[in-house]
């Protein structure tokens, strides 16, 4: 399933896009674009795929996604078969990091929101009061004048900058920039993992790459990633497996070995633990 580049129309007198998607179902294919994007579903149910994450959406579902992150929203059969008693409906906001000029995202007032933009590289589903507040603002934006709309977007930025009511979606494998602006040691570690995740990587090997002892490396890794090295490596491997399962018809056992797993049983167990489904079930969900 190859992602296509996709763009929404933008009015020449507006700096960012507010778009209502209404129809029997959501027609956009598996796609990506340079814009950051909010998707608020107001009517309809179904499943959404963001990077290698598959989740389910209903009314009031709100997701924020970073630039170039592949995604698709697929309606339930009642919509695809045109049996629903109402149209599917969603509101979409698109903006680029330079929509108010090249230096806008570098001004001091945006510092906290820049951290949110970094998180959005994996996609974020918003929860709780944060979702309620942002949904209320987005619903009003189509009827606002230009300055009101811009002011509401800034208010959304502020809400996003001061919340922990979210869940990250795609695995680290789908993050396209692995530098995170941190130390050379951090870059060496992430670079080595991405180049060698399909092989057997030992803790002593990683400690040597990072010029640290094994215990120091384990502590450093847990502090930086909030998970252990083994947990992270498994996530990267499963993320790559999802990519292979979506792009070719290799046997599951071939995918497992290509992603660095030494036996099929462990691959199936780890895949189900992270994705709540087997690799075969995952592949079937992609036949959309």
């Amino acid at each position: 399933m190859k992602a296509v580049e996709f763009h929404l129309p933008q009015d020449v007198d507006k700096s960012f896009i507010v778009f209502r998607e209404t129809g029997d179902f959501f027609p956009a294919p598996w796609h990506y674009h340079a814009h950051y994007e909010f998707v608020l579903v107001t009517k309809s149910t179904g499943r959404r795929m963001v990077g290698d994450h598959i989740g389910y959406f209903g009314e009031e579902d709100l997701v924020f996604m970073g630039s170039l992150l592949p995604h698709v929203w697929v309606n339930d059969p009642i919509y695809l078969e045109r049996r629903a008693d109402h149209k599917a409906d969603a509101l979409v906001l698109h903006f680029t990091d330079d929509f108010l000029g090249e230096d806008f995202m570098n001004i001091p007032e945006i510092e906290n929101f820049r951290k949110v933009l970094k998180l959005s590289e994996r996609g974020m589903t918003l929860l709780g009061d944060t979702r309620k507040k942002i949904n209320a603002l987005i619903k009003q934006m189509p009827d606002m004048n230009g300055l009101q709309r811009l002011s509401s977007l800034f208010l959304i930025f502020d809400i996003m900058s001061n919340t922990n009511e979210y869940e990250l979606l795609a695995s680290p494998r789908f993050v396209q920039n692995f530098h995170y602006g941190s130390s050379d040691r951090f870059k060496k570690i992430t670079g080595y993992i991405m180049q060698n995740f399909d092989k057997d990587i030992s803790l002593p090997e990683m400690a040597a790459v990072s010029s640290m002892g094994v215990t120091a490396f384990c502590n450093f890794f847990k502090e930086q990633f909030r998970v252990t090295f083994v947990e992270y490596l498994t996530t990267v491997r499963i993320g790559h497996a999802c990519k292979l399962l979506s792009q070719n018809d290799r046997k599951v056992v071939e995918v497992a070995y290509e992603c660095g797993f030494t036996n099929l049983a462990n691959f199936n167990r780890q895949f189900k633990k992270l994705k709540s489904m087997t690799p075969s079930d995952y592949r079937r969900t992609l036949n959309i």
Side-chain angles (χ1 to χ4, degrees):
M1 186 171 58
K2 184 178 180 180
V4 299
E5 190 168 3
F6 191 78
H7 297 279
L8 289 175
Q10 180 170 350
D11 296 332
V12 295
D13 61 340
K14 295 179 175 63
S15 60
F16 66 98
I17 296 169
V18 180
F19 182 82
R20 182 180 293 277
E21 183 76 74
T22 300
D24 294 318
F25 53 86
F26 301 140
W30 174 242
H31 68 283
Y32 66 94
H33 41 68
H35 296 77
Y36 294 93
E37 179 177 23
F38 285 95
V39 177
L40 163 59
V41 176
T42 58
K43 289 186 180 297
S44 188
T45 57
R47 67 185 188 274
R48 50 174 159 75
M49 186 172 177
V50 179
D52 60 348
H53 174 88
I54 292 180
Y56 296 88
F57 68 83
E59 294 183 4
E60 302 301 310
D61 184 65
L62 178 65
V63 172
F64 179 50
M65 293 169 289
S67 174
L68 305 179
L69 179 62
H71 55 277
V72 66
W73 267 239
V74 182
N75 305 90
D76 280 335
I78 191 173
Y79 295 93
L80 298 175
E81 297 167 5
R82 295 176 170 82
R83 294 185 287 106
D85 58 5
H86 57 268
K87 298 291 187 180
D89 187 79
L91 288 165
V92 179
L93 268 61
H94 277 196
F95 65 91
T96 59
D97 54 9
D98 62 349
F99 78 109
L100 291 180
E102 291 184 4
D103 296 326
F104 172 67
M105 287 299 178
N106 293 319
I107 64 175
E109 292 83 355
I110 299 294
E111 181 178 359
N112 287 339
F113 187 63
R114 285 199 295 271
K115 299 175 184 177
V116 176
L117 294 180
K118 192 66 179 177
L119 291 173
S120 74
E121 292 177 348
R122 293 177 58 185
M124 311 165 67
T125 179
L126 284 304
L127 308 169
D129 288 338
T130 298
R131 180 175 65 182
K132 292 178 182 178
K133 292 175 182 177
I134 295 177
N135 284 3
L137 287 167
I138 293 177
K139 289 177 182 177
Q140 298 174 51
M141 291 175 79
D143 298 322
M144 291 178 175
N145 64 39
L147 194 55
Q148 290 172 335
R149 187 183 295 112
L150 185 60
S151 176
S152 294
L153 184 63
F154 283 170
L155 185 52
I156 290 172
F157 288 176
D158 182 63
I159 294 170
M160 295 282 292
S161 300
N162 296 282
T163 186
N164 58 6
E165 294 183 305
Y166 62 83
E167 291 180 2
L168 298 180
L169 300 178
S171 72
R173 178 64 184 173
F174 272 78
V175 178
Q176 298 198 18
N177 180 358
F178 297 104
H179 299 305
Y180 299 103
S182 60
S183 67
D184 288 340
R185 175 177 287 164
F186 187 97
K187 296 175 185 178
K188 286 181 180 178
I189 291 171
T190 54
Y192 192 85
I193 292 171
M194 294 309 157
Q195 292 173 14
N196 297 281
F197 67 86
D198 57 339
K199 307 178 183 69
D200 182 32
I201 307 178
S202 67
L203 280 173
E205 182 179 353
M206 287 305 307
V209 169
S210 61
S211 301
M212 304 170 75
V214 171
T215 300
F217 167 75
C218 290
N219 291 337
F220 174 82
F221 197 95
K222 185 68 179 290
E223 180 182 352
Q224 293 290 319
F225 290 87
R226 302 298 189 266
V227 294
T228 68
F229 165 70
V230 173
E231 290 170 336
Y232 181 84
L233 179 60
T234 298
T235 300
V236 171
R237 287 171 169 169
I238 295 301
H240 187 59
C242 289
K243 179 180 179 181
L244 294 181
L245 289 167
S246 70
Q247 291 183 345
N248 58 63
D249 57 358
R250 286 188 185 90
K251 294 180 179 179
V252 171
V253 65
E254 294 175 337
V255 171
Y257 288 128
E258 189 166 337
C259 294
F261 290 92
T262 56
N263 67 79
L264 182 60
N266 184 43
F267 173 62
N268 286 331
R269 182 168 59 253
Q270 297 298 335
F271 195 101
K272 189 169 185 179
K273 180 180 178 181
L274 288 176
K275 298 301 175 184
S276 300
M277 65 180 76
T278 67
S280 297
D281 289 339
Y282 180 88
R283 173 170 274 166
R284 279 192 285 271
T285 65
L286 301 180
N287 295 325
I288 54 177

